């Protein structure tokens, strides 16, 4: 999905727009790139993932459901620590494996190192004898902001 998150000047998340819309905002200098996709460009700009408004916009509403699930978000939430061995994590493990209907949700995914991910394979933590060191939670906006 190529939607770009727009955040307020105070870093509060506002809404999502298409990449084209985000680029128009960058061209008009109403927004700046806050987070970009590595190694991807669109025209003269790095491919934006998050753009930040230059001027603060007063809003009467905020997202209440919390941030949408993403792989990068899971790694940030878990401080890139493996849920099984505590080592540095670079992959996402589905606690109930995808092959068995596990979904991409905050509660069903956790950061894991490559080794543990391979070892666990298509099993649940209980089946694999690999207890989770922490419960995966739904992060609030604050947990993902500023990291
Ligand atoms: Zn590990």
């Amino acid at each position: 999905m190529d939607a770009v998150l727009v955040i307020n000047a105070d870093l509060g998340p506002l809404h999502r727009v298409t990449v084209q819309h985000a680029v128009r905002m960058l061209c008009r200098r109403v927004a700046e790139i806050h987070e970009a996709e590595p190694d991807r460009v669109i025209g003269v700009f790095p491919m934006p993932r998050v753009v930040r408004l230059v001027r603060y916009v007063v809003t009467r509403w905020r997202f209440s459901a919390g941030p949408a699930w993403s792989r990068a978000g899971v790694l940030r939430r878990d401080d890139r620590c493996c849920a099984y061995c505590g080592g540095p994590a670079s992959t996402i493990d589905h606690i109930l494996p995808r092959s068995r209907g596990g979904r991409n949700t905050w509660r069903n995914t956790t950061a894991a190192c490559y080794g543990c991910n391979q070892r666990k394979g298509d099993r649940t933590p209980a089946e694999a004898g690999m207890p989770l060191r922490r419960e995966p939670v739904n992060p609030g906006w604050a947990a993902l902001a500023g990291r």
Side-chain angles (χ1 to χ4, degrees), residues 16-34:
R16 287 182 178 274
V17 297
T18 62
V19 171
Q20 288 73 19
H21 188 119
V23 167
R24 281 199 297 273
M25 293 170 75
L26 296 170
C27 289
R28 281 165 34 222
R29 296 179 194 278
V30 297
E32 291 174 346
I33 288 182
H34 186 71

Side-chain angles (χ1 to χ4, degrees), residues 49-135:
R49 276 214 293 242
V50 181
V51 295
R52 188 183 64 248
L53 295 180
V54 172
R55 296 183 59 179
Y56 183 77
V57 171
V58 178
T59 52
R60 266 164 294 172
W61 57 275
R62 284 275 166 106
F63 278 128
S64 53
W69 182 91
S70 70
R71 277 167 191 277
V74 172
L75 287 172
R76 272 203 298 275
R77 179 196 67 186
D78 296 346
D79 288 326
R80 296 178 183 276
C81 279
C82 176
Y84 301 107
C85 72
S90 58
T91 66
I92 301 297
D93 179 59
H94 288 77
I95 294 162
L96 176 65
R98 261 189 305 190
S99 59
R100 292 164 58 177
R103 311 233 336 255
N104 285 344
T105 63
W106 291 113
R107 301 295 302 275
N108 191 49
T109 49
T110 189
C113 71
Y114 182 75
C116 289
N117 209 333
Q118 291 292 105
R119 198 147 60 83
K120 180 170 167 289
D122 274 352
R123 297 175 295 178
T124 65
E127 288 167 358
M130 295 167 67
L132 287 159
R133 289 171 164 239
R134 54 164 185 263
E135 270 298 295

